[in-house]
Amino acid sequence: SNLLRVKQYWDAELAAEGMMELQLPSSSGTNGTWLVQQARFAIVRSMISRDDTWHPRYGVIPGYGISLQDGFQDTFTATATAALEWGAFPYARGVIENWLRYYVRDDGMV
């Protein structure tokens, strides 16, 4: 039902992004399938936590939830790197363009 539609949506979305397929072997210390799912779900979590597709949200209110912190460099770097490494180039491009547009000054300062 709805859970199946959500899975189908994200399967199609990640395929449209061109994300690589990955298989890791299971060993005595870990389950390779779970590690792959955790990595893919981290990209999905990044996608669903942004406003207007590209604008990052860093933290929650009260405390870290103010928009001043949305451009946190570590969040940008981790997101852009993960998207590039996984082959999600349209997503990576949107994240990078948004960050350059809203968080980098004309003189190159952050």
Side-chain angles (χ1 to χ4, degrees):
S1 67
N2 190 45
L3 185 57
L4 178 59
R5 286 194 298 271
V6 169
K7 182 187 182 323
Q8 290 168 338
Y9 170 84
W10 281 108
D11 286 347
E13 181 67 24
L14 298 179
E17 286 289 334
M19 287 182 61
M20 70 176 171
E21 293 293 325
L22 182 64
Q23 293 180 337
L24 296 175
S26 294
S27 67
S28 62
T30 189
N31 180 324
T33 302
W34 292 353
L35 292 174
V36 171
Q37 288 179 347
Q38 287 173 342
R40 288 175 61 88
F41 295 161
I43 298 282
V44 170
R45 187 171 44 249
S46 172
M47 290 175 168
I48 65 175
S49 65
R50 290 178 176 265
D51 293 334
D52 298 321
T53 308
W54 307 120
H55 187 78
R57 299 305 277 150
Y58 181 75
V60 295
I61 294 177
Y64 271 162
I66 58 175
S67 63
L68 173 68
Q69 296 158 334
D70 288 347
F72 186 50
Q73 289 174 313
D74 291 352
T75 301
F76 162 72
T77 302
T79 302
T81 301
L84 290 169
E85 290 290 334
W86 274 87
F89 298 120
Y91 183 61
R93 180 180 180 158
V95 168
I96 293 167
E97 286 180 350
N98 180 82
W99 197 77
L100 292 172
R101 180 176 182 184
Y102 293 106
Y103 299 105
V104 178
R105 297 179 189 154
D106 290 339
D107 64 1
M109 296 298 289
V110 177

